[in-house]
Amino acid sequence: MPAEPSLAVIIVSYNVRGDLDRCLRSLQTVTPPGPMTVTVVDNRSADGTLAWLRETWPAVQALDAGGNVGFARANNLGIRATASDLVLLLNPDTEVPPDALVTLTAALLGDDRTAIVGPRLVDAADRPELSFGPMMSPWGEFTQRRLLRAVEAGASWAVARVERHTRQAGPRDWVSGACLLARRTDLEAVGLLDERYFMYTEDVDLCAAVRARGRVVRFVPAATVRHLRGRSGATAPAATERRRRESQLAFYRKHHPAWAPLLGWW
């Protein structure tokens, strides 16, 4: 890989033009690790995103997904439409500080075994998000949700635990697709994102596929990215929840088939 690796930033949008504008403005301030392109794949937004992009952000490659094809497939369209050494999957409801991409790239390229890295994600109030975790399982989901609900309720023990966990760098089973930097060779080796997932769990599945090849997924808290999560889903909460459940079941059918019938009934 060259000393200055090329980077393709892929952003999937769906009715989030205001958030997307803030995200693109933040990318204007970053120090890129090398030549950088930005591609937005729009899932047929009803807010005129594509026309607005072409007028306001002419340097951004704007792609029409042809409909609301979901997060995994739209990201794959963006990846296939670009050519770069590295690929950054980035949610439109994120803001990237100037030094984050250089820090992430250094962590990725500093170890030949590492295929994917993810930053520390924080919300608008700088509260950390638990943006990584163990391989998804019924018990893992239960413990993660219990912790997150305690954080939302303001339990001091839970807040302290998340703060502590999100300051510790190292290998993880998965990192969040809200901001995920990967080597293109590793993405192509596993066939990109699994398109059976419309939205949610595709990042966990991708990391599992990469780790199955003996590669490493790493959490890098030295890089921090702001994530104003859930904006796309907020436009259609009932449909979003249904899609989330469908993706969960697809994940269990693929990775834990014995659990799938019981969880499907539940």
Side-chain angles (χ1 to χ4, degrees), residues 2 51 85 116 123 174 186 243:
D85 302 307
I116 290 174
D123 65 13
W174 60 269
D186 283 293
R243 294 294 193 181

Side-chain angles (χ1 to χ4, degrees), residues 27 75 92-93 97 231 244 249:
L27 288 173
N75 267 305
D93 56 359
R231 301 299 186 93
R244 185 176 73 82
L249 282 173

Side-chain angles (χ1 to χ4, degrees), residues 16 18-23 26 90-96 120-129 176 178-179 200 225-234:
V16 286
D19 286 329
L20 179 59
D21 188 57
R22 282 188 292 274
C23 180
S26 75
L90 188 66
N91 275 18
D93 56 359
T94 57
E95 295 175 11
V96 184
R120 184 174 188 260
L121 298 180
V122 299
D123 65 13
D126 288 330
R127 292 172 298 202
E129 176 181 326
S176 172
C179 183
Y200 300 113
V225 169
R226 180 162 283 111
H227 183 206
L228 308 174
R229 61 184 301 168
R231 301 299 186 93
S232 294

Side-chain angles (χ1 to χ4, degrees), residues 2 4-5 15 19 24 27 54 70 87 97 132 139 142 147 151 154 156 158 187 196-197 238 241 244 258 264:
E4 290 192 343
N15 295 327
D19 286 329
L24 294 174
L27 288 173
R54 289 164 181 156
V87 175
F132 56 84
W139 177 249
F142 171 77
L147 179 58
V151 169
S156 58
L187 294 178
R196 78 186 74 187
Y197 305 108
E241 178 61 17
R244 185 176 73 82

Side-chain angles (χ1 to χ4, degrees), residues 193-266:
L193 283 78
D194 189 332
E195 295 182 10
R196 78 186 74 187
Y197 305 108
F198 187 87
M199 61 189 301
Y200 300 113
T201 74
E202 65 286 309
D203 45 6
V204 183
D205 180 85
L206 174 66
C207 291
V210 164
R211 288 189 300 103
R213 298 184 62 250
R215 306 288 283 154
V216 175
V217 175
R218 194 172 297 278
F219 176 63
V220 184
T224 298
V225 169
R226 180 162 283 111
H227 183 206
L228 308 174
R229 61 184 301 168
R231 301 299 186 93
S232 294
T235 63
T240 297
E241 178 61 17
R242 184 178 71 253
R243 294 294 193 181
R244 185 176 73 82
R245 295 293 188 185
E246 289 170 353
S247 288
Q248 281 181 303
L249 282 173
F251 185 92
Y252 279 100
R253 289 187 185 110
K254 180 177 179 179
H255 294 279
H256 305 293
W259 280 99
L262 177 61
L263 292 173
W265 170 82
W266 178 77

